Amino acid sequence: SPSWILDNLIEFKKEYLPDEDDKLFLVIDKDRWQDKELSEVSKQCIQNNFKFIVSTPCFELWIVLHLIDLSTLEKQ
């Protein structure tokens, strides 16, 4: 869940104390998460100086499109 990821990101920040130039991002799929929960997580991200990104339709597709050279795929 977005709140679980946020909790883990907060713990990561406490443990590793990133430099002020570092940026921490919370990236999630919209999936089934309600706007109310996403709004609360967004507010907490702002308070913790995290960047909040919500992917729609799905994050996995976004990753694939950025990691695979599409010109190498066979044309169907």
Side-chain angles (χ1 to χ4, degrees):
S1 76
S3 55
W4 183 84
I5 296 171
L6 176 64
D7 292 342
N8 280 279
L9 191 56
I10 290 170
E11 289 303 313
F12 175 88
K13 184 178 178 180
K14 287 177 186 175
E15 185 174 341
Y16 294 101
L17 299 170
D19 293 334
E20 67 179 56
D21 291 340
D22 292 335
K23 292 180 176 41
L24 298 175
F25 291 79
L26 191 155
V27 181
I28 59 164
D29 285 343
K30 168 67 171 134
D31 291 335
R32 66 181 182 277
W33 309 116
Q34 300 297 316
D35 291 342
K36 183 177 179 180
E37 180 178 10
L38 295 176
S39 177
E40 181 58 37
V41 169
S42 175
K43 289 175 189 173
Q44 291 182 36
C45 282
I46 291 168
Q47 292 171 353
N48 286 282
N49 200 28
F50 301 149
K51 305 297 181 189
F52 183 56
I53 299 172
V54 178
S55 173
T56 307
C58 67
F59 183 61
E60 293 83 1
L61 176 60
W62 184 87
I63 290 174
V64 168
L65 292 174
H66 286 83
L67 295 178
I68 293 179
D69 180 1
L70 296 177
S71 66
T72 64
L73 298 176
E74 283 188 35
K75 294 182 181 177
Q76 302 276 337

